[in-house]
Amino acid sequence: AQKVTQAQTEISVVEKEDVTLDCVYETRDTTYYLFWYKQPPSGELVFLIRRNSFDEQNEISGRYSWNFQKSTSSFNFTITASQVVDSAVYFCARRGAGSYQLTFGKGTKLSVIP
Amino acid sequence: DTGVSQDPRHKITKRGQNVTFRCDPISEHNRLYWYRQTLGQGPEFLTYFQNEAQLEKSRLLSDRFSAERPKGSFSTLEIQRTEQGDSAMYLCASSLGTSNTGELFFGEGSRLTVL
């Protein structure tokens, strides 16, 4: 199986601190897609971003930024100036080009303390 | 509310009973997915439909599991002869085939507890 590894099980930060969530993936595909999803306490997974394997440009969206490095098979996610509402479980996932199956990591539980 | 809806939200059953979950996707979405999530784990893919055709099935989907999407709209996931190991959250998601983000829209899930 082509795994997605999120080594950080739980992270706690104080509000306004920056935090980076790590994601390392395995793939045998030439073309693949990487995703981040957020799962707040309500349970509903919310899409944050998709990156294509052929596009290593980093992306920033408000307080969120993503660093994609094919050389290290990593797709890390940084939240700048964290807020209490960022508290959730964050999942990294990958999908090969020939499949619609998402493979998720085990998730990182982020707690932002006021 | 026009999101993905799942029913029931919670189901408690005894081992050996059959259970059925229903998913209503976002109305214009032609793709529908089922995932299973156990405590402390990420969602695991079960199956995928494009319209009414079931195009991908995970090895996790044993012969006790069956999923249908008869008219390409709502879907059902049935588990026969439930086992305690089937206890999990069953998540449904849908997407639009022409979307260039590949975004899946998830429902809130159906939690199954097998006693």
Side-chain angles (χ1 to χ4, degrees):
Chain A
Q2 299 177 69
K3 293 193 307 183
V4 175
T5 300
Q6 296 180 253
Q8 304 149 309
T9 305
E10 293 193 42
I11 301 176
S12 289
V13 298
V14 176
E15 201 171 19
K16 298 184 182 176
E17 287 183 344
D18 299 346
V19 59
T20 295
L21 310 181
D22 298 333
C23 173
V24 174
Y25 61 91
E26 298 175 0
T27 187
R28 294 186 292 273
D29 298 308
T30 304
T31 302
Y32 53 91
Y33 306 95
L34 300 170
F35 301 79
W36 277 94
Y37 278 83
K38 174 182 180 180
Q39 189 173 43
S42 61
E44 192 171 330
L45 283 147
V46 177
F47 169 85
L48 296 177
I49 191 171
R50 175 184 107 159
R51 299 302 288 172
N52 304 330
S53 56
F54 45 85
D55 181 4
E56 286 192 71
Q57 197 167 24
N58 291 329
E59 184 158 337
I60 297 174
S61 176
R63 297 184 297 107
Y64 295 170
S65 63
W66 291 269
N67 183 290
F68 175 28
Q69 294 199 352
K70 283 179 79 169
S71 61
T72 55
S73 298
S74 65
F75 184 42
N76 296 337
F77 172 31
T78 297
I79 301 174
T80 304
S82 59
Q83 299 176 1
V84 173
V85 294
D86 296 327
S87 297
V89 181
Y90 290 86
F91 291 97
C92 180
R94 71 164 290 283
R95 173 169 73 80
S99 169
Y100 291 97
Q101 177 179 162
L102 279 177
T103 299
F104 285 84
K106 292 186 177 184
T108 298
K109 182 178 180 181
L110 173 65
S111 298
V112 181
I113 304 164
Chain B
D1 183 34
T2 57
V4 176
S5 64
Q6 294 188 242
D7 183 71
R9 294 290 312 282
H10 303 274
K11 178 72 176 177
I12 300 174
T13 191
K14 292 183 178 178
R15 191 175 52 188
Q17 298 294 304
N18 299 342
V19 297
T20 299
F21 300 114
R22 176 181 170 123
C23 171
D24 287 274
I26 294 172
S27 59
E28 64 269 25
H29 285 185
N30 59 335
R31 294 176 178 169
L32 187 145
Y33 314 77
W34 285 98
Y35 283 80
R36 181 174 71 183
Q37 186 177 21
T38 53
L39 199 62
Q41 303 294 315
E44 296 172 297
F45 173 80
L46 293 178
T47 191
Y48 156 68
F49 290 86
Q50 182 158 307
N51 300 312
E52 66 274 11
Q54 188 173 19
L55 299 184
E56 280 191 66
K57 288 171 61 173
S58 163
R59 282 172 289 180
L60 291 175
L61 215 65
S62 74
D63 56 5
R64 295 186 299 105
F65 288 70
S66 62
E68 294 182 342
R69 195 182 182 199
K71 296 182 180 178
S73 56
F74 74 92
S75 175
T76 58
L77 176 69
E78 181 183 14
I79 309 174
Q80 295 182 326
R81 304 182 303 282
T82 51
E83 302 172 355
Q84 288 184 324
D86 298 330
S87 295
M89 179 75 85
Y90 290 85
L91 300 169
C92 178
S94 68
S95 69
L96 189 59
T98 56
S99 166
N100 62 4
T101 68
E103 176 181 359
L104 267 59
F105 292 81
F106 281 85
E108 292 181 313
S110 293
R111 182 170 295 284
L112 173 65
T113 302
V114 181
L115 302 176

